[in-house]
Amino acid sequence: LQKIYLDNAASTPLSPEVLEVMLPYFTQIYGNPSSIHAHGRQARAAIEKARKQVANLLHCSTSEVFFTSGGTEADNTAISQAVHSLGVQHIITSKLEHHAVLHTIQYLEKTANITVSYVTTDSRGNVDYDHLQSLMAWPKAGLVSLMHANNEIGTMLNIDLVAELCMQNAYLFHSDTVQSMGHYLFDLQQIKVDFLAASAHKFHGPKGVGFMYINTENKIKPYLHGGAQERNMRGGTENISGIVGLAKALELAYSSFEKDKAYILGLKKHLANALLEQIPDVEFNGNSANLDDSSLYTVLNVSFPPSEKADMLLFNLDIAGVSVSGGSACASGSDIGSHVLTALGAAPERPSVRFSFSKFNTMPEMEYVVQTIRQLVLA
Ligand SMILES: Cc1ncc(COP(=O)(O)O)c(C=O)c1O
């Protein structure tokens, strides 16, 4: 039985080169980076080198990069502290955000007396930029929090345009870039964002480590209180092996970006076309079948016609050795299901499967998946 992993938007396998650079930090370079002795200084130097690597890739200052435990912490910190430290009273977001963002904003709405506006999105998850601009007319200190690439449907934000609109309207801009970091070449000299959130395990780095970018103009207070780590911004002994691995993974992602993107797009195109040709009434959620910048090239979200067999598709793909995720829009009265597909207005009776690719997938795997789906849905 083949084992095929097509759930790379959930997590990616660690690159062997990343593991290699991480290993010494478990057994040889184990000092606490806050210690002033030689062991500690060696660990500190590794963290600062990693910070420089990340800052160089993103074209920002090392003082703007803060390591965290992952995307969730980075999102929570940026949004909460925009409210608590920078006086934000109005947050504009969308119903398609990851729960790390949505639940943080909903919590602040209940506890911090802020107003939340949801920008209109169309049936493919595209933001209505005119509506966004009109929401920013509110004369209160505000934050726009919109994800760069949607983790379920791959729809991408025009991040340059939103950054520009935020600047014109004196709104802060936070973008959850957890899905796009490592799959997009950010140049922070060109895009004016205030906060970004990233997570290493989405780009062949280790789990439990990420970073936030905080533009130097924004002086926020820590979200996690404790020691003076991360320049007083985030208490807690640093995950050194993770941080070293994150920086290596991001370097690898940037250095082979064009090659990997072209290769993965080839896989996605092949799978999308083969499914269209071979399975009747297949549709694609979001912009995910697009091969341009309106969709993240690593995600293809497929909607299948309703049938008992299609309902069992995820389960049967798993039995057949194919790991994917999926779901459907919430049926009325239930909150089980995808809040993203529900917000798009997707039909709850149509099951959806999210295929998400990495450079480690192959064309024969795509063929196997198509043939397996044929058997599962048509037989
Ligand atoms: C868009 C998005 N934001 C945030 C997160 C949370 O990241 P982490 O798992 O590193 O906390 C994820 C993870 O799935 C994600 O896809």
Side-chain angles (χ1 to χ4, degrees):
L1 178 73
Q2 295 208 45
K3 283 271 176 217
I4 297 179
Y5 186 73
L6 284 169
D7 202 13
N8 291 281
S11 197
T12 54
L14 194 79
S15 289
E17 299 96 319
V18 173
L19 178 63
E20 200 183 320
V21 300
M22 289 174 70
L23 283 175
Y25 294 91
F26 291 103
T27 52
Q28 293 163 32
I29 307 166
Y30 45 77
N32 187 320
S34 298
S35 304
I36 53 170
H37 49 56
H39 285 80
R41 290 199 304 276
Q42 205 180 5
R44 160 75 39 223
I47 293 177
E48 295 318 317
K49 181 179 164 211
R51 198 185 314 281
K52 204 163 178 37
Q53 284 171 291
V54 172
N56 284 346
L57 293 169
L58 301 186
H59 298 165
C60 67
S61 155
T62 49
S63 63
E64 295 174 311
V65 176
F66 298 87
F67 294 113
T68 64
S69 63
T72 301
E73 186 194 324
D75 283 330
N76 271 263
T77 304
I79 298 168
S80 301
Q81 298 316 86
V83 171
H84 294 305
S85 302
L86 303 176
V88 161
Q89 292 173 286
H90 179 212
I91 299 184
I92 305 171
T93 188
S94 83
K95 297 231 162 107
L96 310 181
E97 301 303 303
H98 190 273
H99 284 149
V101 167
L102 269 187
H103 289 171
T104 304
I105 293 174
Q106 285 159 4
Y107 178 74
L108 289 165
E109 189 177 24
K110 279 199 213 124
T111 57
N113 199 25
I114 57 151
T115 304
V116 179
S117 303
Y118 293 93
V119 68
T120 305
T121 46
D122 68 12
S123 63
R124 301 211 166 268
N126 301 298
V127 165
D128 178 340
Y129 298 107
D130 291 333
H131 185 226
L132 178 64
Q133 180 149 31
S134 70
L135 289 171
M136 282 192 257
W138 219 38
K140 284 199 169 175
L143 170 78
V144 170
S145 178
L146 290 173
M147 69 203 310
H148 188 205
N150 187 281
N151 50 302
E152 290 193 36
I153 53 171
T155 298
M156 291 200 71
L157 185 76
N158 184 339
I159 195 168
D160 301 83
L161 176 60
V162 175
E164 191 60 39
L165 291 175
C166 287
M167 211 158 62
Q168 285 165 11
N169 291 280
Y171 262 60
L172 294 167
F173 180 28
H174 161 256
S175 189
D176 176 335
T177 51
V178 168
Q179 287 295 332
S180 55
M181 188 61 68
H183 306 286
Y184 183 89
L185 298 180
F186 286 93
D187 178 353
L188 298 179
Q189 292 303 306
Q190 300 300 322
I191 322 172
K192 163 85 178 70
V193 289
D194 294 285
F195 306 99
L196 294 181
S199 187
H201 72 109
K202 308 288 187 181
F203 50 90
H204 306 291
K207 293 172 182 60
V209 63
F211 70 90
M212 51 188 173
Y213 161 83
I214 305 179
N215 185 292
T216 192
E217 286 167 26
N218 300 305
K219 307 290 178 221
I220 65 167
K221 296 206 174 79
Y223 178 71
L224 281 186
H225 298 279
Q229 289 91 351
E230 294 300 288
R231 304 184 303 292
N232 287 313
M233 186 60 83
R234 196 242 177 209
T237 303
E238 298 89 337
N239 173 0
I240 311 178
S241 59
I243 290 170
V244 168
L246 179 153
K248 179 69 180 178
L250 197 60
E251 270 193 357
L252 289 172
Y254 267 67
S255 65
S256 61
F257 172 76
E258 297 297 347
K259 181 169 133 262
D260 293 345
K261 180 176 175 182
Y263 176 72
I264 294 169
L265 264 176
L267 299 177
K268 167 160 148 167
K269 187 176 168 188
H270 184 83
L271 183 62
N273 287 343
L275 289 174
L276 267 183
E277 280 162 17
Q278 301 190 37
I279 316 282
D281 194 19
V282 147
E283 292 170 6
F284 298 101
N285 291 312
N287 297 329
S288 69
N290 295 3
L291 302 174
D292 59 17
D293 289 344
S294 65
S295 173
L296 187 66
Y297 58 90
T298 52
V299 173
L300 182 68
N301 193 312
V302 187
S303 159
F304 290 91
S307 74
E308 245 172 65
K309 284 178 185 161
D311 275 348
M312 296 296 287
L313 196 54
L314 276 187
F315 176 78
N316 285 328
L317 278 170
D318 188 20
I319 302 284
V322 182
S323 294
V324 289
S325 20
S328 54
C330 313
S332 59
S334 95
D335 55 3
I336 307 162
S338 154
H339 70 283
V340 173
L341 295 178
T342 305
L344 299 187
E349 64 280 7
R350 287 185 69 98
S352 292
V353 175
R354 178 188 70 181
F355 300 95
S356 49
F357 316 93
S358 87
K359 61 183 177 183
F360 295 121
N361 290 120
T362 64
M363 231 20 133
E365 288 180 341
M366 300 304 116
E367 275 306 315
Y368 177 82
V369 168
V370 175
Q371 293 322 316
T372 307
I373 291 176
R374 268 177 68 94
Q375 283 163 18
L376 292 174
V377 175
L378 301 180

